[in-house]
Structures are given as C-alpha cells and as structure tokens.
Amino acid sequence: MTSIGHRFFIKLCRNSLSSRIIATKFSNVAVEENAKNVAPVSQPGKIQAALLKDFSGSLVIENLESPKNVQANEVLIDVHYCALNTSDTLLSKNLYTFEPKLPIILGYEVVGKLVEVGTEAEKNGYKIGDKVIALNKERYGGLAEKCLAEIGDIWKVPSVINSVDAASTLDNYITALVALERKVSIDEDDMILINVGISGISLAAIDLATNVFRAKVIGVCATEDGADLARKKGAFASLKYKDKKLLKQIEEIAAERDIKAIFDDVDGEYFKKVLECFTNVYKDATLKDLLRDDNFAVVVHHLSREGRIIIAGTATTMTNSHSEAQKGSFSITGFNLTEYKKRKPDVYRQAGDEILQFLEEGLITPSCSLIVGLHKINDALQFISENKSPGKVVIDIRNKEADAVKVTK
C-alpha cells in the first residue's frame, strides 16, 4: 500500500470510529429519553400518577403512596377520568398566573367514586361508592389513580350522566353560567356575540345561551373546526375570524333581526370599539394569553333601539379580573371562577347543581375533543398546545395505555 493510500485508510478508519461513537451517543440519548417516558409497572398498595418535576421536561409516570389521613371535611376519590385543562398545560411550562411548587400532580377536574369519606363529609350526605365530580382548582392532584378533595369542591353525579361528559363539563359551564347570569342577566330577547377564540368556556357559553336561555348567538372562532362546534351547539351564525370582513358579516346577520342602529355613525364606531376589545386577542395575544382560563369577559350590555347585543367570551387578559376596565363609554368585566368561589361559595355551589341538572335533562352537550390514557399524558399536553381545539381533553386514568381517540361532539 502506498503512503497516500495508507494515510487515506487510517483517516477512513478514524472517521468510521467517530461515526460509531457519535451514533452510540445519539442511541444512548434516545434510550435515556425513552426510559424517562416509559411508565413503570404498577405496584401493589401504590397508585400511579403523572408528576411535573421539571418545567423543561415531560410529565413522568411514577408509583406513589396512596393519600392517607383523610380529614373530616375531605373525601378520597378513586379517579376514573380527569380533564386536562389549558391551565395544566400552562402550569407545566411555568406560564400560568402562579408558579407551582415542584413536584406537583396536575389535573383538577376529576370524576370518580368515593373510597373514603371524612366525618364531616358523611354528615353532608356523602358515602363510599358515590360517583362524584371534583373541581380541585386550588389543590390539583387529579392526574393520579386516587386524589383528595374537600366537600366544598365536589358534587354527586347522577348515574345517568356519562363520566366523560361529566369530566368535560363543570369548570367551563359554571364559569359561563355565572358570568351570563350575574354579569348580563341574559334572556331570550337578546342577541349575544360570543368570541370563542380557542376557549372551552366560550363554547360552553354558546351552549347555555342557546339551549338554556334561548338567546340568539353569533360565534366568532379562531378556526373552522371551532366554528363548526359552535354551530353544533346551536349558534344561528358562526364565523371564523377575518379582520376585514367581520364587522360586515355581523351587520348582515343583525339586519335579519332588524338590529341596525348600532352600526350607524356614532353607534357604529362605539360598537366597533367594543368588538375590538375581544377580537384584538387574535392580533396581539400569544398562545399563553389564548389558553388562560381567567380571561373570559363580558360587556355588561349594549342597547340599541331595536334590541340588545351582548358581547362575551375570550378577551385580552384582564389585569384585575374583578374590576371593571373602562373602555370609553362602556365597561368590560373579567371573570375568574376561583376568585368568585371565595367571595360567593353558595352561588358557586348552586351553579354546579344547575349545570349537572341541565346535563341530566339533556339541555347542554359538553364538547370533548380527545380521550387518551394516563400513560400518554404528554401526547395530550402537546395536543392542547398545538391543535387549538376548544373541546376538552380527557385523561382515562383506569385504561392507562389507551391510545388517543378523537371525539367529534
């Protein structure tokens, strides 16, 4: 072999060795990454849960000790389903309104059966075996086989109600119901324009406004899929947001009900300013803003000679969810269910009772976009972040390995 050929052979061997070393490193990284995402085998006497341990990483499935020492005002729930809400997604990325202390089990909207009942809970009529839904908005812990909840945060679920429907309902619908009843006193003579964006709360508001209050609803949505869901809820008109066409489209729809004055001259400018407070969310807001669950807002009312138009739904983030931010000659009121519960717990409880009654009677139909097993939790988080669907994502806690199933309702 010539010296040139020898040097080429040595270089080739070195490059080949480097390639194998690099390939081995990549292979090891892939194995390590897969190992992190592989769920452990269940252990007797322990529960499985999805833990958020690092804001930059995925949720991790671990075997944990079951919650013990149930207090008098608490219950222990054997979790069947847990809704994965947008706040869970934001919390997992440390983008929410507060920073959670890690590690934490996310998930707060839970459906399951009681397996342990505190003495105070028992006095309030709860017993082992009851099917319940919990809104653990301050405690979380729902992405686990068992979780604790206080009696002020649980409701009995009638046996005729499907568990997935129950898991898809209470949080969004209580928020929408209280906002529509307490902030605008909506009735069947109203036309209400609801800016859906990608908000499940706004979709619930369409369902309630149309099928409970019998108002006429126009939906404005971020996507065609969202507009289709709004129509299925009963909106008599549903539009995908288009900046230059929206006002004209609304004017044409309103004309069918002889609502005209709000579009003329000064009134027209007034209505445009009101509308922009909601639709600006499409121009300026980030996904973080769109996914916030405390940016549901309502314009108290807008009167014209021919009728009343209410605007509600997703809006730019309110700095103080209970103060009225003045916008010219009108006010927009933000609404946050967690804060409202602290101020008016009785109204909060009553609203939950009413929503479950509406669901039992078939008046409302909650929207669920995806059902997936607990071990595929990170796929569900990605779905929320990327797909911008206003329907609920529900985690099947019992059927842990279940692949994602898209739901159309």
Tab-separated table of all heavy atoms in Angstrom, residues 74-129:
chain	number	residue	atom	x	y	z
A	74	GLU	N	-62.897	16.076	54.121
A	74	GLU	CA	-62.327	15.584	52.874
A	74	GLU	C	-62.925	14.250	52.457
A	74	GLU	O	-63.531	13.537	53.265
A	74	GLU	CB	-60.805	15.414	53.005
A	74	GLU	CG	-60.034	16.710	53.165
A	74	GLU	CD	-58.548	16.457	53.297
A	74	GLU	OE1	-58.157	15.352	53.775
A	74	GLU	OE2	-57.763	17.351	52.938
A	75	VAL	N	-62.702	13.928	51.179
A	75	VAL	CA	-63.040	12.606	50.646
A	75	VAL	C	-61.846	12.119	49.829
A	75	VAL	O	-61.042	12.917	49.342
A	75	VAL	CB	-64.305	12.640	49.751
A	75	VAL	CG1	-65.536	13.001	50.565
A	75	VAL	CG2	-64.113	13.588	48.573
A	76	LEU	N	-61.743	10.807	49.689
A	76	LEU	CA	-60.726	10.217	48.821
A	76	LEU	C	-61.440	9.621	47.614
A	76	LEU	O	-62.362	8.817	47.762
A	76	LEU	CB	-59.934	9.140	49.561
A	76	LEU	CG	-58.784	8.491	48.775
A	76	LEU	CD1	-57.739	9.535	48.392
A	76	LEU	CD2	-58.148	7.364	49.586
A	77	ILE	N	-61.015	10.047	46.428
A	77	ILE	CA	-61.680	9.659	45.182
A	77	ILE	C	-60.829	8.655	44.411
A	77	ILE	O	-59.628	8.878	44.207
A	77	ILE	CB	-61.935	10.890	44.290
A	77	ILE	CG1	-62.759	11.939	45.039
A	77	ILE	CG2	-62.645	10.483	42.991
A	77	ILE	CD1	-62.890	13.265	44.289
A	78	ASP	N	-61.459	7.560	44.005
A	78	ASP	CA	-60.853	6.639	43.046
A	78	ASP	C	-61.138	7.247	41.668
A	78	ASP	O	-62.277	7.235	41.189
A	78	ASP	CB	-61.494	5.254	43.185
A	78	ASP	CG	-60.976	4.260	42.155
A	78	ASP	OD1	-59.845	4.453	41.669
A	78	ASP	OD2	-61.709	3.308	41.819
A	79	VAL	N	-60.100	7.818	41.058
A	79	VAL	CA	-60.283	8.626	39.856
A	79	VAL	C	-60.478	7.743	38.628
A	79	VAL	O	-59.676	6.845	38.361
A	79	VAL	CB	-59.074	9.564	39.644
A	79	VAL	CG1	-59.300	10.442	38.410
A	79	VAL	CG2	-58.846	10.427	40.881
A	80	HIS	N	-61.549	8.013	37.885
A	80	HIS	CA	-61.803	7.317	36.624
A	80	HIS	C	-61.346	8.171	35.440
A	80	HIS	O	-60.706	7.666	34.513
A	80	HIS	CB	-63.282	6.996	36.487
A	80	HIS	CG	-63.775	6.019	37.510
A	80	HIS	ND1	-65.074	5.539	37.509
A	80	HIS	CD2	-63.169	5.426	38.574
A	80	HIS	CE1	-65.235	4.684	38.524
A	80	HIS	NE2	-64.093	4.621	39.182
A	81	TYR	N	-61.699	9.455	35.469
A	81	TYR	CA	-61.317	10.372	34.398
A	81	TYR	C	-60.879	11.707	35.001
A	81	TYR	O	-61.401	12.131	36.038
A	81	TYR	CB	-62.484	10.629	33.437
A	81	TYR	CG	-62.928	9.415	32.668
A	81	TYR	CD1	-63.994	8.636	33.123
A	81	TYR	CD2	-62.293	9.037	31.488
A	81	TYR	CE1	-64.406	7.509	32.426
A	81	TYR	CE2	-62.705	7.916	30.782
A	81	TYR	CZ	-63.755	7.157	31.251
A	81	TYR	OH	-64.153	6.042	30.563
A	82	CYS	N	-59.949	12.350	34.329
A	82	CYS	CA	-59.527	13.691	34.725
A	82	CYS	C	-59.398	14.539	33.474
A	82	CYS	O	-58.708	14.147	32.523
A	82	CYS	CB	-58.190	13.643	35.475
A	82	CYS	SG	-57.570	15.279	35.967
A	83	ALA	N	-60.081	15.670	33.451
A	83	ALA	CA	-59.930	16.583	32.319
A	83	ALA	C	-58.562	17.248	32.397
A	83	ALA	O	-58.100	17.619	33.473
A	83	ALA	CB	-61.035	17.643	32.347
A	84	LEU	N	-57.929	17.369	31.250
A	84	LEU	CA	-56.665	18.102	31.169
A	84	LEU	C	-56.998	19.486	30.634
A	84	LEU	O	-57.310	19.652	29.461
A	84	LEU	CB	-55.689	17.380	30.239
A	84	LEU	CG	-54.255	17.911	30.231
A	84	LEU	CD1	-53.582	17.666	31.576
A	84	LEU	CD2	-53.454	17.267	29.119
A	85	ASN	N	-56.965	20.460	31.520
A	85	ASN	CA	-57.360	21.809	31.143
A	85	ASN	C	-56.173	22.637	30.654
A	85	ASN	O	-55.013	22.272	30.848
A	85	ASN	CB	-58.043	22.497	32.329
A	85	ASN	CG	-59.430	21.947	32.584
A	85	ASN	OD1	-60.361	22.215	31.832
A	85	ASN	ND2	-59.580	21.151	33.628
A	86	THR	N	-56.495	23.761	30.040
A	86	THR	CA	-55.431	24.594	29.488
A	86	THR	C	-54.501	25.123	30.568
A	86	THR	O	-53.308	25.297	30.327
A	86	THR	CB	-56.035	25.774	28.700
A	86	THR	OG1	-56.991	26.452	29.517
A	86	THR	CG2	-56.719	25.279	27.451
A	87	SER	N	-55.029	25.361	31.760
A	87	SER	CA	-54.156	25.832	32.841
A	87	SER	C	-53.120	24.776	33.214
A	87	SER	O	-51.997	25.105	33.610
A	87	SER	CB	-54.986	26.214	34.074
A	87	SER	OG	-55.723	25.112	34.553
A	88	ASP	N	-53.477	23.488	33.075
A	88	ASP	CA	-52.497	22.426	33.318
A	88	ASP	C	-51.338	22.537	32.331
A	88	ASP	O	-50.167	22.365	32.696
A	88	ASP	CB	-53.154	21.048	33.185
A	88	ASP	CG	-54.223	20.795	34.232
A	88	ASP	OD1	-53.928	20.985	35.418
A	88	ASP	OD2	-55.340	20.406	33.864
A	89	THR	N	-51.672	22.825	31.076
A	89	THR	CA	-50.638	22.979	30.050
A	89	THR	C	-49.723	24.149	30.370
A	89	THR	O	-48.495	24.040	30.286
A	89	THR	CB	-51.291	23.192	28.673
A	89	THR	OG1	-52.174	22.104	28.393
A	89	THR	CG2	-50.260	23.289	27.570
A	90	LEU	N	-50.322	25.274	30.758
A	90	LEU	CA	-49.515	26.451	31.083
A	90	LEU	C	-48.682	26.232	32.341
A	90	LEU	O	-47.521	26.656	32.409
A	90	LEU	CB	-50.422	27.671	31.237
A	90	LEU	CG	-51.146	28.119	29.965
A	90	LEU	CD1	-52.096	29.266	30.269
A	90	LEU	CD2	-50.150	28.537	28.890
A	91	LEU	N	-49.255	25.575	33.342
A	91	LEU	CA	-48.504	25.274	34.559
A	91	LEU	C	-47.290	24.392	34.257
A	91	LEU	O	-46.220	24.565	34.847
A	91	LEU	CB	-49.406	24.593	35.588
A	91	LEU	CG	-50.349	25.498	36.374
A	91	LEU	CD1	-51.396	24.670	37.106
A	91	LEU	CD2	-49.580	26.360	37.370
A	92	SER	N	-47.468	23.450	33.341
A	92	SER	CA	-46.372	22.540	33.019
A	92	SER	C	-45.195	23.262	32.377
A	92	SER	O	-44.067	22.765	32.391
A	92	SER	CB	-46.866	21.420	32.091
A	92	SER	OG	-47.107	21.904	30.780
A	93	LYS	N	-45.460	24.461	31.828
A	93	LYS	CA	-44.400	25.248	31.195
A	93	LYS	C	-44.037	26.478	32.019
A	93	LYS	O	-43.283	27.346	31.568
A	93	LYS	CB	-44.852	25.690	29.796
A	93	LYS	CG	-45.214	24.541	28.858
A	93	LYS	CD	-45.731	25.058	27.535
A	93	LYS	CE	-46.217	23.940	26.640
A	93	LYS	NZ	-45.169	22.986	26.289
A	94	ASN	N	-44.610	26.560	33.227
A	94	ASN	CA	-44.410	27.717	34.110
A	94	ASN	C	-44.825	29.025	33.436
A	94	ASN	O	-44.146	30.049	33.522
A	94	ASN	CB	-42.953	27.822	34.572
A	94	ASN	CG	-42.813	28.691	35.827
A	94	ASN	OD1	-43.779	28.921	36.548
A	94	ASN	ND2	-41.613	29.179	36.075
A	95	LEU	N	-45.991	28.989	32.773
A	95	LEU	CA	-46.519	30.157	32.080
A	95	LEU	C	-47.844	30.632	32.668
A	95	LEU	O	-48.491	31.526	32.106
A	95	LEU	CB	-46.732	29.832	30.585
A	95	LEU	CG	-45.486	29.540	29.757
A	95	LEU	CD1	-45.878	29.106	28.349
A	95	LEU	CD2	-44.573	30.759	29.698
A	96	TYR	N	-48.249	30.057	33.782
A	96	TYR	CA	-49.561	30.395	34.354
A	96	TYR	C	-49.434	31.588	35.304
A	96	TYR	O	-48.363	32.168	35.463
A	96	TYR	CB	-50.147	29.170	35.051
A	96	TYR	CG	-51.646	29.244	35.255
A	96	TYR	CD1	-52.495	29.562	34.199
A	96	TYR	CD2	-52.218	28.997	36.504
A	96	TYR	CE1	-53.865	29.637	34.371
A	96	TYR	CE2	-53.591	29.059	36.690
A	96	TYR	CZ	-54.412	29.386	35.623
A	96	TYR	OH	-55.763	29.462	35.794
A	97	THR	N	-50.537	31.940	35.944
A	97	THR	CA	-50.575	33.125	36.806
A	97	THR	C	-49.822	32.932	38.114
A	97	THR	O	-49.594	33.887	38.836
A	97	THR	CB	-52.037	33.500	37.121
A	97	THR	OG1	-52.724	32.349	37.626
A	97	THR	CG2	-52.743	33.982	35.867
A	98	PHE	N	-49.473	31.689	38.448
A	98	PHE	CA	-48.632	31.457	39.619
A	98	PHE	C	-47.670	30.324	39.298
A	98	PHE	O	-47.894	29.534	38.387
A	98	PHE	CB	-49.480	31.096	40.855
A	98	PHE	CG	-50.225	29.795	40.737
A	98	PHE	CD1	-49.650	28.593	41.130
A	98	PHE	CD2	-51.519	29.763	40.227
A	98	PHE	CE1	-50.333	27.390	41.019
A	98	PHE	CE2	-52.218	28.562	40.120
A	98	PHE	CZ	-51.621	27.374	40.517
A	99	GLU	N	-46.571	30.253	40.036
A	99	GLU	CA	-45.587	29.205	39.818
A	99	GLU	C	-45.813	28.084	40.818
A	99	GLU	O	-45.713	28.299	42.032
A	99	GLU	CB	-44.163	29.750	39.973
A	99	GLU	CG	-43.090	28.694	39.737
A	99	GLU	CD	-41.683	29.258	39.790
A	99	GLU	OE1	-41.521	30.467	39.523
A	99	GLU	OE2	-40.746	28.495	40.106
A	100	PRO	N	-46.139	26.879	40.335
A	100	PRO	CA	-46.395	25.777	41.273
A	100	PRO	C	-45.102	25.282	41.913
A	100	PRO	O	-44.024	25.382	41.324
A	100	PRO	CB	-47.001	24.696	40.371
A	100	PRO	CG	-46.407	24.966	39.020
A	100	PRO	CD	-46.248	26.456	38.928
A	101	LYS	N	-45.224	24.767	43.115
A	101	LYS	CA	-44.077	24.170	43.792
A	101	LYS	C	-43.915	22.740	43.296
A	101	LYS	O	-44.843	21.937	43.347
A	101	LYS	CB	-44.301	24.180	45.318
A	101	LYS	CG	-43.113	23.670	46.114
A	101	LYS	CD	-43.390	23.752	47.606
A	101	LYS	CE	-42.209	23.205	48.402
A	101	LYS	NZ	-42.468	23.258	49.871
A	102	LEU	N	-42.735	22.426	42.802
A	102	LEU	CA	-42.475	21.104	42.230
A	102	LEU	C	-41.918	20.155	43.279
A	102	LEU	O	-41.240	20.580	44.207
A	102	LEU	CB	-41.493	21.233	41.062
A	102	LEU	CG	-41.925	22.156	39.917
A	102	LEU	CD1	-40.885	22.134	38.807
A	102	LEU	CD2	-43.286	21.776	39.376
A	103	PRO	N	-42.163	18.849	43.124
A	103	PRO	CA	-43.007	18.221	42.097
A	103	PRO	C	-44.485	18.414	42.423
A	103	PRO	O	-44.859	18.604	43.586
A	103	PRO	CB	-42.612	16.744	42.173
A	103	PRO	CG	-42.217	16.549	43.605
A	103	PRO	CD	-41.564	17.834	44.029
A	104	ILE	N	-45.318	18.355	41.387
A	104	ILE	CA	-46.761	18.519	41.566
A	104	ILE	C	-47.496	17.564	40.631
A	104	ILE	O	-47.019	17.270	39.528
A	104	ILE	CB	-47.193	19.980	41.285
A	104	ILE	CG1	-48.694	20.170	41.548
A	104	ILE	CG2	-46.849	20.381	39.860
A	104	ILE	CD1	-49.172	21.611	41.409
A	105	ILE	N	-48.644	17.066	41.107
A	105	ILE	CA	-49.560	16.295	40.263
A	105	ILE	C	-50.602	17.273	39.749
A	105	ILE	O	-51.358	17.844	40.544
A	105	ILE	CB	-50.236	15.154	41.049
A	105	ILE	CG1	-49.195	14.207	41.636
A	105	ILE	CG2	-51.197	14.384	40.143
A	105	ILE	CD1	-49.781	13.179	42.600
A	106	LEU	N	-50.639	17.504	38.448
A	106	LEU	CA	-51.600	18.430	37.863
A	106	LEU	C	-52.976	17.770	37.757
A	106	LEU	O	-53.169	16.632	38.141
A	106	LEU	CB	-51.104	18.898	36.497
A	106	LEU	CG	-49.777	19.661	36.488
A	106	LEU	CD1	-49.354	19.976	35.062
A	106	LEU	CD2	-49.893	20.934	37.306
A	107	GLY	N	-53.928	18.510	37.183
A	107	GLY	CA	-55.289	17.990	36.987
A	107	GLY	C	-56.187	18.360	38.139
A	107	GLY	O	-55.883	18.028	39.288
A	108	TYR	N	-57.292	19.058	37.835
A	108	TYR	CA	-58.191	19.457	38.923
A	108	TYR	C	-59.665	19.114	38.669
A	108	TYR	O	-60.478	19.190	39.579
A	108	TYR	CB	-58.067	20.955	39.206
A	108	TYR	CG	-58.471	21.866	38.069
A	108	TYR	CD1	-59.818	22.166	37.815
A	108	TYR	CD2	-57.518	22.454	37.254
A	108	TYR	CE1	-60.182	23.004	36.782
A	108	TYR	CE2	-57.873	23.302	36.216
A	108	TYR	CZ	-59.209	23.581	35.988
A	108	TYR	OH	-59.573	24.412	34.957
A	109	GLU	N	-60.018	18.725	37.440
A	109	GLU	CA	-61.419	18.420	37.139
A	109	GLU	C	-61.557	16.901	37.031
A	109	GLU	O	-61.185	16.303	36.031
A	109	GLU	CB	-61.829	19.109	35.835
A	109	GLU	CG	-63.325	19.151	35.607
A	109	GLU	CD	-63.699	20.107	34.480
A	109	GLU	OE1	-62.806	20.557	33.728
A	109	GLU	OE2	-64.904	20.394	34.351
A	110	VAL	N	-62.085	16.300	38.076
A	110	VAL	CA	-61.961	14.853	38.295
A	110	VAL	C	-63.327	14.190	38.437
A	110	VAL	O	-64.223	14.733	39.085
A	110	VAL	CB	-61.146	14.599	39.588
A	110	VAL	CG1	-61.206	13.151	39.998
A	110	VAL	CG2	-59.703	15.043	39.396
A	111	VAL	N	-63.478	13.011	37.839
A	111	VAL	CA	-64.682	12.196	38.029
A	111	VAL	C	-64.264	10.813	38.518
A	111	VAL	O	-63.330	10.217	37.988
A	111	VAL	CB	-65.494	12.065	36.730
A	111	VAL	CG1	-66.630	11.057	36.893
A	111	VAL	CG2	-66.055	13.412	36.315
A	112	GLY	N	-64.943	10.331	39.556
A	112	GLY	CA	-64.624	9.005	40.077
A	112	GLY	C	-65.586	8.624	41.190
A	112	GLY	O	-66.646	9.244	41.356
A	113	LYS	N	-65.222	7.599	41.955
A	113	LYS	CA	-66.070	7.130	43.049
A	113	LYS	C	-65.353	7.288	44.386
A	113	LYS	O	-64.122	7.161	44.469
A	113	LYS	CB	-66.457	5.669	42.829
A	113	LYS	CG	-67.445	5.496	41.686
A	113	LYS	CD	-68.033	4.094	41.649
A	113	LYS	CE	-69.103	3.984	40.561
A	113	LYS	NZ	-69.712	2.634	40.510
A	114	LEU	N	-66.128	7.563	45.420
A	114	LEU	CA	-65.563	7.761	46.749
A	114	LEU	C	-65.142	6.423	47.347
A	114	LEU	O	-65.910	5.457	47.335
A	114	LEU	CB	-66.583	8.441	47.661
A	114	LEU	CG	-67.072	9.832	47.230
A	114	LEU	CD1	-68.012	10.418	48.277
A	114	LEU	CD2	-65.895	10.776	46.985
A	115	VAL	N	-63.919	6.395	47.875
A	115	VAL	CA	-63.427	5.186	48.537
A	115	VAL	C	-63.160	5.432	50.020
A	115	VAL	O	-62.958	4.487	50.792
A	115	VAL	CB	-62.143	4.653	47.859
A	115	VAL	CG1	-62.464	4.114	46.485
A	115	VAL	CG2	-61.062	5.730	47.782
A	116	GLU	N	-63.162	6.699	50.416
A	116	GLU	CA	-63.031	7.039	51.835
A	116	GLU	C	-63.718	8.377	52.059
A	116	GLU	O	-63.594	9.291	51.234
A	116	GLU	CB	-61.557	7.104	52.239
A	116	GLU	CG	-61.344	7.075	53.742
A	116	GLU	CD	-59.886	6.871	54.136
A	116	GLU	OE1	-59.098	6.389	53.286
A	116	GLU	OE2	-59.541	7.201	55.286
A	117	VAL	N	-64.435	8.498	53.175
A	117	VAL	CA	-65.240	9.689	53.439
A	117	VAL	C	-64.970	10.188	54.849
A	117	VAL	O	-65.079	9.428	55.822
A	117	VAL	CB	-66.748	9.377	53.270
A	117	VAL	CG1	-67.590	10.594	53.603
A	117	VAL	CG2	-67.043	8.900	51.849
A	118	GLY	N	-64.607	11.469	54.988
A	118	GLY	CA	-64.401	12.070	56.303
A	118	GLY	C	-65.715	12.246	57.053
A	118	GLY	O	-66.795	12.206	56.453
A	119	THR	N	-65.623	12.448	58.362
A	119	THR	CA	-66.833	12.530	59.202
A	119	THR	C	-67.741	13.684	58.798
A	119	THR	O	-68.968	13.544	58.768
A	119	THR	CB	-66.446	12.671	60.682
A	119	THR	OG1	-65.559	13.793	60.836
A	119	THR	CG2	-65.751	11.413	61.187
A	120	GLU	N	-67.156	14.848	58.478
A	120	GLU	CA	-67.950	15.999	58.070
A	120	GLU	C	-68.593	15.741	56.703
A	120	GLU	O	-69.749	16.116	56.466
A	120	GLU	CB	-67.073	17.248	58.004
A	120	GLU	CG	-67.834	18.555	57.860
A	120	GLU	CD	-68.698	18.870	59.083
A	120	GLU	OE1	-68.338	18.459	60.204
A	120	GLU	OE2	-69.738	19.522	58.890
A	121	ALA	N	-67.855	15.101	55.825
A	121	ALA	CA	-68.393	14.747	54.503
A	121	ALA	C	-69.566	13.785	54.653
A	121	ALA	O	-70.577	13.881	53.939
A	121	ALA	CB	-67.302	14.132	53.646
A	122	GLU	N	-69.436	12.854	55.586
A	122	GLU	CA	-70.514	11.888	55.828
A	122	GLU	C	-71.769	12.587	56.316
A	122	GLU	O	-72.892	12.253	55.908
A	122	GLU	CB	-70.039	10.851	56.845
A	122	GLU	CG	-70.928	9.625	56.932
A	122	GLU	CD	-70.333	8.540	57.814
A	122	GLU	OE1	-69.285	8.785	58.436
A	122	GLU	OE2	-70.931	7.453	57.855
A	123	LYS	N	-71.608	13.588	57.187
A	123	LYS	CA	-72.755	14.356	57.679
A	123	LYS	C	-73.445	15.114	56.552
A	123	LYS	O	-74.639	15.421	56.636
A	123	LYS	CB	-72.293	15.342	58.758
A	123	LYS	CG	-71.885	14.688	60.067
A	123	LYS	CD	-71.393	15.734	61.043
A	123	LYS	CE	-70.911	15.094	62.341
A	123	LYS	NZ	-70.346	16.096	63.288
A	124	ASN	N	-72.685	15.439	55.518
A	124	ASN	CA	-73.243	16.162	54.373
A	124	ASN	C	-73.817	15.224	53.318
A	124	ASN	O	-74.135	15.654	52.206
A	124	ASN	CB	-72.170	17.051	53.750
A	124	ASN	CG	-72.004	18.371	54.480
A	124	ASN	OD1	-72.630	19.368	54.141
A	124	ASN	ND2	-71.154	18.381	55.499
A	125	GLY	N	-73.946	13.942	53.650
A	125	GLY	CA	-74.644	13.011	52.777
A	125	GLY	C	-73.777	12.228	51.819
A	125	GLY	O	-74.301	11.485	50.979
A	126	TYR	N	-72.459	12.343	51.942
A	126	TYR	CA	-71.575	11.579	51.058
A	126	TYR	C	-71.238	10.236	51.683
A	126	TYR	O	-71.045	10.131	52.901
A	126	TYR	CB	-70.278	12.355	50.783
A	126	TYR	CG	-70.504	13.614	49.982
A	126	TYR	CD1	-70.504	14.866	50.607
A	126	TYR	CD2	-70.730	13.559	48.611
A	126	TYR	CE1	-70.722	16.026	49.882
A	126	TYR	CE2	-70.947	14.719	47.877
A	126	TYR	CZ	-70.943	15.946	48.519
A	126	TYR	OH	-71.170	17.089	47.795
A	127	LYS	N	-71.155	9.213	50.829
A	127	LYS	CA	-70.840	7.873	51.328
A	127	LYS	C	-69.946	7.142	50.331
A	127	LYS	O	-69.876	7.513	49.154
A	127	LYS	CB	-72.116	7.080	51.584
A	127	LYS	CG	-72.976	6.830	50.359
A	127	LYS	CD	-74.256	6.101	50.744
A	127	LYS	CE	-75.098	5.751	49.507
A	127	LYS	NZ	-75.509	6.946	48.755
A	128	ILE	N	-69.284	6.111	50.819
A	128	ILE	CA	-68.414	5.318	49.960
A	128	ILE	C	-69.221	4.735	48.792
A	128	ILE	O	-70.326	4.223	48.983
A	128	ILE	CB	-67.740	4.191	50.772
A	128	ILE	CG1	-66.756	4.793	51.776
A	128	ILE	CG2	-67.026	3.203	49.857
A	128	ILE	CD1	-66.154	3.786	52.733
A	129	GLY	N	-68.677	4.844	47.591
A	129	GLY	CA	-69.368	4.346	46.402
A	129	GLY	C	-70.067	5.424	45.602
A	129	GLY	O	-70.452	5.183	44.445
